[in-house]
Amino acid sequence: MHSVQSLLTSITATVALTLSVPNTSWADDPIPVVATFSVLGDMVKRIGGEHISLTTLVGADGDTHVYQPTPQAARVVAEADVLFINGLGFEGWLERLVEAAPFAGSLVVATTGIEPIAFGDHDDHEEGHEEATDHHGEHGAFDPHAWHSFTNAIIYANNIAAGLAQVDPTNAGFYYQNHQIFVNEIRALKAEADVIMAALPIDKRTVVTPHDGFGYFADLYNLRFEAPQGLSTESEASAADVAKLILLIRKQEISAVFIESITDNRLMEQIANETGAVIGGKLYSDALSSEDQPASTYLDMMRHNTKTLSQALGD
Amino acid sequence: MIWELVFAPFVEFGFMRRALLGCVAVSFGATPVGVFLMLRRMSLTGDAMAHAILPGAAIGYLISGLSLSAMTIGGLIAGMVVALTSGFVARVTAITEDASLAAFYLISLAVGVLIVSTRGSNVDLLHVLFGSVLALDDAALILLCSFATLSILTLAVLLRPLVLECVDPQFLRSVSRLSAITHFIFLALVVINLIAGFHALGTLMAVGIMILPATAARFWAAGIVGLISVAALIATLSSVIGLLLSFHFSLPSGPAIILVAGIGYIFSLIFGPVGGAIVQALPRQKT
């Protein structure tokens, strides 16, 4: 079966080559693609399967906000046929990299077609003005952490499949088949999460995380996330932000404190110490975990975050 | 009113008290060292040593994660190696100490950046390596206070040879073997105070609390005791005011503290009675 398929694809590829369609590659040769960070990389891997050779620039547990491209990164980008990026200003360093590389393939922005949340829409940060303006300069006007909404993840998957099919039309069927399976799994997980999150009490829906990475998740499930560090992990907390969080916890308006995999969690631990709040667990926001941790794929990450949040808020 | 503005934040919030204690410990430990650095015309040495420490702390972090002791020990080793080798080279070869220090700290820094980069972790190490003054836990506070105590006690023992070394190093070298020992112990003090400052103020702000109050004190006092007391006072005041500004105006704490110290320096530079701008501009009175 497999050999028949590969024979078929190679025939098609040969035909395609003789017709000199641009950007075609040998069917047996996986096409080189690059994804900027681990969450996106996992999605691309799900859809591209063995027909792509994927390089992820910012790997597991890495922080995309502060990533600095290496010459090696420039080389893989220069050699790539497709470059998948999140967009919405998440990869601030990308423009320089693409120019320096130089990159001549096709660029797929995974957030194309989503409805971005503007800063401050999901969260009132009156006291974080300095920080908020700081982020505007760096991030653009929208919250880039869009993959935390299942609906957006399906749009990501659509964009990825379309991007791969365009560059490698011979395997388009394969990509769309994987895409369909992946989308079905996302839908199934969303249905599961909807039930779990709907069961949470109405008055216990505010939580603290180190940096503001969960705006889309919050919107989806009517939660409120407070963060001393604001939207980028790069900024430094002020005493005012910390005091505000402590007051909220004391007034019992905040139900749980979480730590994140990519941030410095000492501040969270101090806040928990001072207020007696319990650390509800570790959430994954901007990067997947390594293989031995519970969030090594996109679906696992979403499952883990949902479970951790609902366990901390449910009791 | 005053209560609300100045005392309430510290009474109400434990993290503010911890931050204050950490800053006061660093103020008392680091500023006397800063005064001697200034008197020996080595103010920029503090900055160079700060860079020399980073790689050691980074290696400590890469080996055992976010562990206070591993990062402190790593920093100490890197700092001491750079201080000792550059001091040694300066004493046995023709090169001057500042040049050899510059050479060695750059080597150390390059090694550090290389290790961090090849390790491939994309978490911003500088950010992770050193905490914020708002997140001092018990272990960090104990470390800061012990380093400050150690530093003050050592300086008390070494005061005489250190002052001599500032005033007339040739003389000290000719009458006593203490010269070299004093010098190396002093550099060690610079290193431990920088590490303490790192934990409290994060990355390069640590040098600020060491140097700025000392240079500001220069415009208020001439004697060594006066210099040290004024410097420690300015550093403590800057810590309190900086933390309060961070609290009331939502500013990041480390830079706020150092900026207040910087304003203190500029104020002293203009109004200070000992060689300040205004005093210098006034016509000399005949006595």
Side-chain angles (χ1 to χ4, degrees):
Chain A
M1 170 66 202
H2 185 80
S3 62
V4 173
Q5 196 183 14
S6 69
L7 184 69
L8 262 176
T9 44
S10 56
I11 291 169
T12 337
T14 324
V15 173
L17 196 75
T18 45
L19 291 175
S20 75
V21 172
N23 269 338
T24 340
S25 51
W26 293 99
D28 300 69
D29 266 354
I31 57 170
V33 304
V34 172
T36 48
F37 70 113
S38 51
V39 177
L40 193 58
D42 178 61
M43 294 180 176
V44 172
K45 197 166 74 189
R46 280 297 308 260
I47 294 166
E50 76 262 20
H51 286 295
I52 58 164
S53 113
L54 169 73
T55 311
T56 304
L57 295 182
V58 184
D61 290 326
D63 185 348
T64 315
H65 293 286
V66 296
Y67 172 72
Q68 296 196 334
T70 59
Q72 246 173 337
R75 215 180 83 191
V76 296
V77 166
E79 287 167 359
D81 282 356
V82 198
L83 173 60
F84 293 97
I85 71 166
N86 182 70
L88 296 179
F90 186 58
E91 302 97 339
W93 36 269
L94 191 91
E95 218 169 289
R96 273 171 298 155
L97 179 64
V98 169
E99 264 175 39
F103 174 66
S106 93
L107 181 78
V108 176
V109 182
T111 48
T112 309
I114 70 153
E115 270 178 49
I117 307 181
F119 285 138
D121 265 15
H122 54 88
D123 197 337
D124 47 341
H125 258 281
E126 318 100 293
E127 277 163 71
H129 276 315
E130 274 79 7
E131 276 184 304
T133 42
D134 195 356
H135 300 309
H136 277 288
E138 182 186 314
H139 266 334
F142 297 109
D143 182 347
H145 307 91
W147 58 91
H148 284 292
S149 142
F150 294 106
T151 331
N152 288 343
I154 293 174
I155 298 176
Y156 274 48
N158 296 344
N159 289 332
I160 293 167
L164 285 174
Q166 197 193 4
V167 174
D168 183 19
T170 43
N171 291 315
F174 174 83
Y175 298 137
Y176 276 111
Q177 198 182 346
N178 280 347
H179 165 263
Q180 197 50 52
I181 299 171
F182 186 45
V183 166
N184 286 343
E185 282 178 40
I186 297 176
R187 288 216 176 96
L189 184 59
K190 178 176 191 302
E192 233 175 274
D194 285 352
V195 175
I196 295 173
M197 299 312 279
L200 294 180
I202 286 293
D203 57 329
K204 291 180 82 175
R205 287 186 173 245
T206 304
V207 301
V208 182
T209 51
H211 101 290
D212 241 336
F214 296 95
Y216 291 86
F217 197 80
D219 251 23
L220 195 59
Y221 292 119
N222 198 18
L223 296 163
R224 227 180 98 186
F225 283 78
E226 294 282 348
Q229 260 195 332
L231 272 146
S232 170
T233 52
E234 257 186 302
S235 55
E236 204 182 313
S238 76
D241 300 337
V242 178
K244 180 181 141 205
L245 288 181
I246 288 176
L247 282 179
L248 282 174
I249 297 175
R250 280 193 195 150
K251 281 191 273 174
Q252 302 205 316
E253 282 174 18
I254 284 175
S255 322
V257 178
F258 295 93
I259 57 177
E260 276 176 52
S261 57
I262 56 159
T263 52
D264 179 4
N265 292 311
R266 281 173 289 191
L267 189 57
M268 287 294 117
E269 279 154 16
Q270 273 309 304
I271 291 176
N273 256 351
E274 179 158 353
T275 52
V278 181
I279 301 242
K282 188 194 263 185
L283 298 179
Y284 293 86
S285 57
D286 294 15
L288 299 177
S289 67
S290 51
E291 291 288 332
D292 51 338
Q293 298 285 314
S296 62
T297 67
Y298 171 73
L299 291 169
D300 282 346
M301 173 182 84
M302 296 303 284
R303 197 174 288 125
H304 172 87
N305 285 349
T306 310
K307 200 175 98 192
T308 309
L309 275 165
S310 64
Q311 274 172 354
L313 296 177
D315 331 323
Chain B
M1 179 64 183
I2 298 256
W3 171 264
E4 279 292 309
L5 277 179
V6 180
F7 296 103
F10 294 106
V11 173
E12 200 174 340
F13 295 105
F15 80 91
M16 290 290 282
R17 291 196 293 276
R18 283 166 177 276
L20 185 64
L21 176 59
C23 285
V24 169
V26 171
S27 299
F28 278 77
T31 47
V33 174
V35 167
F36 280 107
L37 279 175
M38 177 192 65
L39 290 177
R40 300 182 60 189
R41 296 162 197 266
M42 288 168 62
S43 293
L44 285 174
T45 301
D47 202 28
M49 291 308 298
H51 286 88
I53 290 166
L54 286 177
I59 294 169
Y61 170 76
L62 290 179
I63 291 174
S64 58
L66 206 58
S67 136
L68 190 74
S69 47
M71 278 156 47
T72 305
I73 293 168
L76 270 178
I77 294 173
M80 297 308 286
V81 166
V82 169
L84 288 177
T85 43
S86 60
F88 178 72
V89 166
R91 270 158 203 265
V92 300
T93 67
I95 202 169
T96 56
E97 173 132 21
D98 65 326
S100 78
L101 182 65
F104 280 102
Y105 102 74
L106 286 168
I107 293 171
S108 176
L109 189 61
V111 169
V113 173
L114 197 81
I115 290 170
V116 170
S117 310
T118 48
R119 178 56 198 247
S121 164
N122 300 310
V123 176
D124 187 2
L125 262 180
L126 286 194
H127 224 76
V128 173
L129 280 183
F130 303 108
S132 147
V133 69
L134 304 176
L136 292 174
D137 55 12
D138 291 350
L141 276 182
I142 291 170
L143 182 95
L144 291 186
C145 292
S146 348
F147 275 10
T149 314
L150 181 68
S151 169
I152 292 170
L153 289 180
T154 318
L155 272 185
V157 174
L158 283 183
L159 191 63
R160 247 162 210 293
L162 259 182
V163 172
L164 255 184
E165 176 117 349
C166 295
V167 181
D168 192 350
Q170 299 304 326
F171 173 71
L172 181 66
R173 219 181 279 190
S174 66
V175 299
S176 160
R177 287 214 188 127
L178 272 180
S179 166
I181 299 171
T182 309
H183 183 67
F184 288 135
I185 294 180
F186 177 68
L187 285 180
L189 287 184
V190 175
V191 172
I192 66 166
N193 278 298
L194 281 174
I195 290 176
F198 272 160
H199 285 302
L201 291 166
T203 49
L204 298 175
M205 297 295 160
V207 191
I209 202 81
M210 183 178 273
I211 300 297
L212 277 172
T215 46
R218 172 70 184 68
F219 294 104
W220 300 96
I224 188 76
V225 177
L227 277 174
I228 291 179
S229 335
V230 174
L233 183 72
I234 292 176
T236 312
L237 275 179
S238 310
S239 307
V240 175
I241 297 171
L243 280 173
L244 286 173
L245 287 178
S246 170
F247 184 87
H248 291 296
F249 298 103
S250 185
L251 304 171
S253 318
I257 292 170
I258 301 305
L259 266 180
V260 173
I263 292 168
Y265 169 70
I266 290 168
F267 179 84
S268 310
L269 165 90
I270 298 170
F271 299 103
V274 186
I278 290 182
V279 175
Q280 295 283 49
L282 290 177
R284 292 278 160 99
Q285 287 175 347
K286 284 179 184 162
T287 46

